[in-house]
């Protein structure tokens, strides 16, 4: 199975996935990084791990469609089975989602459908809820939406700060995302309509 990880920022999930591949826990034949930000920390992580990098800047294209077409063209020769979005700060167009239907997954730091958007951890903390969590889901045409593959709850205590909650959520992400990718590669994930069924996890 060939994996493309799309990321724009820090890349801690990227590193967790690559580590799981290197340890043989996730059986990927190849892995590459698609990044849209030349100064993102994730690029340094990829270089250090000897993972191929495709850098495609949105500013170099007149439209989102042209930008995504360039990504698709660059991906062609890699015969990608799965795209894992890991902090990729762009919404993919419906056309791109259709092209890779049920082959794009995302990780989000909340128990979706609660707290969509890019400040999910802060929003949960400020809302005063007792727990939040992490969701891995298939990507559809809507933001932070699509059939849920795995979810894990993270309790919020009254001592939590944004930093302490982020830390616990990220450590859950770093286990949950490799697990979801492993299940996908082992063909244990079936989509039935809007629902996901997982066999012998
Ligand atoms: C993670 O919290 C992920 O859930 C969200 O973006 C963040 C990316 O973090 N989609 P990192 O770049 O993997 O460290």
């Amino acid at each position: 199975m060939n994996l493309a990880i799309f990321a724009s920022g820090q890349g801690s999930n990227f590193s967790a996935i690559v580590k799981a591949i290197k340890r043989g826990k996730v059986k990927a034949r190849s892995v590459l990084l698609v990044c849209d930000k030349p100064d993102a920390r994730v690029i340094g992580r990829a270089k250090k791990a000897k993972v191929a990098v495709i850098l495609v800047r949105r500013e170099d294209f007149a439209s989102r469609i042209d930008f995504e077409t360039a990504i698709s063209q660059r991906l062609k020769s890699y015969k990608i089975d799965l795209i894992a979005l890991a902090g990729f700060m762009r919404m993919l167009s419906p056309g791109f989602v259709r092209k890779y239907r049920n082959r794009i997954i995302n990780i989000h730091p909340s128990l979706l459908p609660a707290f969509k958007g890019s400040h999910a951890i802060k929003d949960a903390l400020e809302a005063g809820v007792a727990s939040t969590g992490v969701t891995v889901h298939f990507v559809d045409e809507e933001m932070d939406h699509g059939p849920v593959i795995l979810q894990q709850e993270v309790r919020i205590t009254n001592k939590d700060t944004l930093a302490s909650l982020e830390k616990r959520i990220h450590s859950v992400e770093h286990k949950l995302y490799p697990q979801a990718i492993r299940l996908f590669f082992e063909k244990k994930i079936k989509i039935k309509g809007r629902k996901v069924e997982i066999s012998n996890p």
Side-chain angles (χ1 to χ4, degrees):
M1 290 277 191
N2 300 324
L3 174 68
I5 302 171
F6 284 30
S8 309
Q10 288 298 313
S12 68
N13 281 282
F14 168 86
S15 290
I17 297 163
V18 168
K19 199 190 248 178
I21 292 170
K22 295 211 161 148
R23 288 183 175 168
K25 288 187 181 162
V26 172
K27 298 208 175 6
R29 187 153 24 108
S30 73
V31 56
L32 67 91
L33 170 70
V34 174
C35 183
D36 60 330
K37 296 265 177 260
D39 50 0
R41 181 160 173 222
V42 67
I43 292 184
R45 291 179 187 259
K47 288 193 173 148
K48 203 164 167 206
K50 301 198 169 25
V51 170
V53 179
I54 293 178
L55 179 64
V56 189
R57 295 182 346 141
R58 171 67 183 84
E59 306 86 280
D60 292 340
F61 300 89
S63 68
R64 176 167 72 162
I65 303 300
D66 291 350
F67 165 70
E68 291 177 350
T69 303
I71 294 177
S72 296
Q73 275 169 354
R74 306 258 322 251
L75 285 182
K76 236 182 217 163
S77 62
Y78 292 95
K79 305 215 178 323
I80 292 302
D81 299 288
L82 181 68
I83 293 172
L85 308 182
F88 188 63
M89 299 311 283
R90 292 190 179 277
M91 179 87 187
L92 296 166
S93 71
F96 191 91
V97 170
R98 271 197 296 277
K99 188 176 167 106
Y100 296 95
R101 173 73 75 201
N102 297 340
R103 288 188 292 145
I104 310 176
I105 62 175
N106 181 42
I107 189 157
H108 184 77
S110 77
L111 294 177
L112 288 173
F115 306 113
K116 295 179 180 182
S118 50
H119 307 288
I121 303 176
K122 185 166 173 273
D123 291 348
L125 193 64
E126 285 175 0
V129 291
S131 68
T132 180
V134 174
T135 302
V136 180
H137 64 97
F138 283 103
V139 169
D140 67 10
E141 288 82 350
E142 282 176 57
M143 193 184 65
D144 297 330
H145 189 266
V148 170
I149 302 168
L150 295 174
Q151 280 188 314
Q152 191 172 320
E153 185 186 19
V154 174
R155 305 281 303 168
I156 302 177
T157 71
N158 49 19
K159 289 200 188 109
D160 263 321
T161 59
L162 183 57
S164 67
L165 184 57
E166 271 174 351
K167 197 168 170 209
R168 286 209 310 291
I169 288 192
H170 285 141
S171 68
V172 168
E173 288 186 334
H174 299 160
K175 292 195 186 86
L176 211 64
Y177 216 4
Q179 189 190 347
I181 294 168
R182 174 179 66 76
L183 292 170
F184 184 93
F185 284 178
E186 290 173 355
K187 299 195 186 307
K188 288 183 173 163
I189 300 175
K190 298 264 174 304
I191 305 189
K192 300 255 165 80
R194 306 276 321 141
K195 287 252 174 282
V196 165
E197 277 179 18
I198 298 179
S199 51
N200 315 311

